[in-house]
Amino acid sequence: MVRSTRSKLSSNKPRQVRDAEATKAQIIDAAEEEFAKHGLNGARTEAIAKGAGITTAMIYYYFQSKEGLYKAVLQRPAIEMYQMLQQLNLDQLPAEFALKKAVRAAIAYEAAHPQRGMLWFQEANQTQGKYFKQGNWQETFAHIIKVLERGMAEGSFRQLDPLMISMQIAGVCTFYFNAHENIKHLTPDVDRLSPEMIERYTTEAVNLILAGVRQQK
Amino acid sequence: MVRSTRSKLSSNKPRQVRDAEATKAQIIDAAEEEFAKHGLNGARTEAIAKGAGITTAMIYYYFQSKEGLYKAVLQRPAIEMYQMLQQLNLDQLPAEFALKKAVRAAIAYEAAHPQRGMLWFQEANQTQGKYFKQGNWQETFAHIIKVLERGMAEGSFRQLDPLMISMQIAGVCTFYFNAHENIKHLTPDVDRLSPEMIERYTTEAVNLILAGVRQQK
DNA sequence: AAAAAGACTAACTAAATTTTTAGTTAACAA
DNA sequence: TTGTTAACTAAAAATTTAGTTAGTCTTTTT
């Protein structure tokens, strides 16, 4: 079985010399891509090394084991997602506007890290989510649930099941990117990850979700 | 790791004896689960064999290679999904009811085969979809797009982007099952795959989507 | 009931892959 | 300069895994 191991991140430029932090970051970048595609078992340390422009021994030098590297890779999105949500200050906005803002931010996050959704799915399916400390993700959903409950209390949202709806919102925000490799075959001539297309997806998503939860008058 | 291959198989649940068709089906069942979790590369033939209650040699006896088994596994969902959609006769229903029926059917399909969404993602991400018949997915989306366009023409649906919205509908229908292993950590005490919970998810999904696309009056 | 065919397993090999080892090079302080 | 150490590489060792072989057990055919 032939697989291209060349990462677009690191393929052209020669690496800096002997900068431990930079090297570690490059390994994690390459590893995130490889783990997102192939999961813990399917990922090849050789592919990660090649993507980072180092030898496989460096993985063990910095991360002790393949699993250690995997843990390091998973830590990053968990922290970033948490921080992103904090910064939105959803509590200080009317529910409808808060939801709009959260949906836009979530899709923008996915667009900036299109491979992370799959990383999360791989983690769920292969290791029963044991490395993903549930706290951060509980936080994520808690933020959306809170907005939905507030909207219902305010009377701007209809009566709905906040947890179920928040998962469906997550589905809307992530599907486009998780399934990108699948759906790109549907319209081969359009670049579905171009800013224009992502903006179009975002607009439609906001419209669908807002109309879907709004109280009819 | 020490693995005894001796006497484990005979002492566990005894399989039916020497029924080729039943054995093949058991291998495909176990393989679908393993491939869905780990993809083509990450899947372990030994794990498949153990799941099916046979030795790895049987995989080669019936399917020649790991890849041959993978192809056999992918054939089944492709055919079933196609047939399911045909039987809905969406064209003969008002758009609103057709969409409701399609969403219910899609979620029911996912619930009956919770691992197939991941099988599809793995296939696209790891092998560029070369083993999967793309035609079936084009069909699937075409069906939904047609319903959405009809609804817009009838005036029952608002003006929307049919392709984008159909992907968002797919996100709503599939997320719950693809992410199940992660989601279950959010509410550890609830069985999120019980019929009651799935019905609740379905109801909320239908409400969200219908309200989301309906023409306001 | 003997022979043939089909279903099946234990034990194995070759190759791929992870992990370790032994050593090399650059940086930098004394 | 020179000695020390962190960053790094090449290649060997250990381990895992796909795939094979030779033969056993069961069912069907004659």
Side-chain angles (χ1 to χ4, degrees):
Chain A
M1 200 174 307
V2 180
R3 204 200 294 160
S4 163
T5 55
R6 221 168 165 79
S7 154
K8 51 181 175 254
L9 274 170
S10 54
S11 54
N12 15 28
K13 345 178 170 164
R15 307 178 43 257
Q16 85 301 330
V17 275
R18 281 157 202 261
D19 179 338
E21 287 310 310
T23 302
K24 267 200 262 185
Q26 284 166 346
I27 293 173
I28 291 184
D29 285 342
E32 180 173 304
E33 215 177 306
E34 178 73 4
F35 283 132
K37 270 193 185 149
H38 302 281
L40 176 53
N41 275 300
R44 299 288 169 244
T45 54
E46 206 188 334
I48 294 168
K50 199 173 177 189
I54 42 91
T55 59
T56 59
M58 292 311 291
I59 291 169
Y60 297 87
Y61 182 65
Y62 285 118
F63 300 99
Q64 290 73 55
S65 63
K66 189 185 184 184
E67 200 177 311
L69 174 57
Y70 188 62
K71 284 180 193 168
V73 165
L74 288 176
Q75 226 177 326
R76 202 167 51 172
I79 292 165
E80 283 186 19
M81 178 63 89
Y82 178 79
Q83 289 175 336
M84 187 204 71
L85 271 159
Q86 288 300 104
Q87 290 167 354
L88 291 183
N89 289 316
L90 297 178
D91 294 342
Q92 295 162 26
L93 299 167
E96 222 176 298
F97 191 61
L99 184 56
K100 206 168 173 172
K101 194 174 178 182
V103 168
R104 285 204 158 268
I107 295 178
Y109 183 85
E110 296 289 320
H113 310 284
Q115 77 286 34
R116 288 196 180 167
M118 279 304 294
L119 192 67
W120 186 45
F121 282 163
Q122 300 275 14
E123 156 69 353
N125 282 282
Q126 293 181 16
T127 60
Q128 288 76 52
K130 74 172 180 177
Y131 297 119
F132 243 35
K133 289 307 167 201
Q134 59 198 68
N136 295 86
W137 292 100
Q138 232 153 8
E139 283 289 332
T140 306
F141 280 96
H143 270 96
I144 304 297
I145 289 168
K146 215 166 153 188
V147 171
L148 291 172
E149 282 170 344
R150 194 150 52 81
M152 284 164 66
E154 285 174 5
S156 52
F157 294 168
R158 63 179 171 80
Q159 289 305 303
L160 44 80
D161 184 327
L163 180 55
M164 293 294 188
I165 295 287
S166 68
M167 291 189 289
Q168 287 159 6
I169 290 171
V172 170
C173 294
T174 58
F175 186 84
Y176 193 73
F177 304 97
N178 293 336
H180 174 248
E181 288 292 327
N182 299 85
I183 61 186
K184 74 178 186 190
H185 295 297
L186 297 179
T187 53
D189 47 329
V190 182
D191 174 15
R192 298 227 153 264
L193 291 185
S194 72
E196 295 78 29
M197 281 297 132
I198 288 171
E199 176 51 36
R200 221 164 110 185
Y201 188 81
T202 306
T203 305
E204 291 292 325
V206 169
N207 289 345
L208 180 74
I209 292 168
L210 266 289
V213 301
R214 210 170 354 230
Q215 179 69 271
Q216 309 289 34
K217 277 162 191 169
Chain B
M1 195 194 300
V2 180
R3 265 187 213 155
S4 158
T5 49
R6 189 182 285 269
S7 83
K8 180 176 283 178
L9 299 170
S10 48
S11 63
N12 281 354
K13 297 280 169 64
R15 310 174 40 256
Q16 87 298 328
V17 276
R18 280 152 207 265
D19 180 339
E21 287 310 310
T23 302
K24 267 200 264 186
Q26 285 166 348
I27 293 173
I28 291 184
D29 285 342
E32 180 173 305
E33 217 178 306
E34 178 73 5
F35 283 132
K37 272 187 183 155
H38 302 281
L40 176 54
N41 274 297
R44 298 290 169 244
T45 54
E46 206 187 335
I48 294 168
K50 199 177 174 188
I54 42 88
T55 60
T56 60
M58 291 311 289
I59 291 169
Y60 299 90
Y61 182 63
Y62 286 119
F63 300 98
Q64 290 73 54
S65 65
K66 192 186 185 185
E67 198 178 309
L69 174 57
Y70 186 64
K71 283 180 190 166
V73 166
L74 287 176
Q75 223 177 327
R76 207 166 48 169
I79 292 166
E80 284 185 19
M81 179 60 91
Y82 180 79
Q83 289 174 338
M84 187 203 72
L85 270 159
Q86 288 301 103
Q87 290 167 357
L88 290 183
N89 290 315
L90 297 178
D91 294 341
Q92 295 162 27
L93 300 167
E96 221 175 298
F97 191 61
L99 183 57
K100 205 168 175 173
K101 194 173 178 183
V103 168
R104 285 203 158 267
I107 295 178
Y109 182 86
E110 295 290 319
H113 310 285
Q115 77 286 36
R116 288 194 181 168
M118 279 305 293
L119 192 67
W120 184 48
F121 282 161
Q122 300 276 16
E123 161 66 358
N125 280 284
Q126 295 181 15
T127 60
Q128 288 74 49
K130 74 174 180 173
Y131 297 108
F132 201 88
K133 290 190 177 70
Q134 284 297 325
N136 295 92
W137 287 101
Q138 243 151 7
E139 283 287 331
T140 305
F141 280 97
H143 270 95
I144 304 297
I145 288 168
K146 214 166 152 189
V147 171
L148 292 172
E149 283 171 343
R150 195 149 53 80
M152 285 164 67
E154 284 174 6
S156 52
F157 293 169
R158 65 180 170 80
Q159 290 304 304
L160 43 80
D161 184 328
L163 180 55
M164 293 294 187
I165 295 286
S166 68
M167 291 190 290
Q168 287 161 5
I169 290 171
V172 170
C173 295
T174 59
F175 186 84
Y176 192 74
F177 303 97
N178 293 335
H180 172 248
E181 289 291 330
N182 275 329
I183 285 172
K184 74 179 186 188
H185 292 302
L186 298 179
T187 54
D189 46 330
V190 182
D191 174 15
R192 298 231 152 259
L193 290 186
S194 71
E196 296 76 31
M197 281 298 131
I198 287 171
E199 176 52 35
R200 224 164 107 184
Y201 188 82
T202 306
T203 304
E204 291 293 324
V206 168
N207 289 345
L208 180 74
I209 291 168
L210 267 289
V213 301
R214 213 175 347 236
Q215 179 69 270
Q216 309 289 36
K217 275 160 194 171

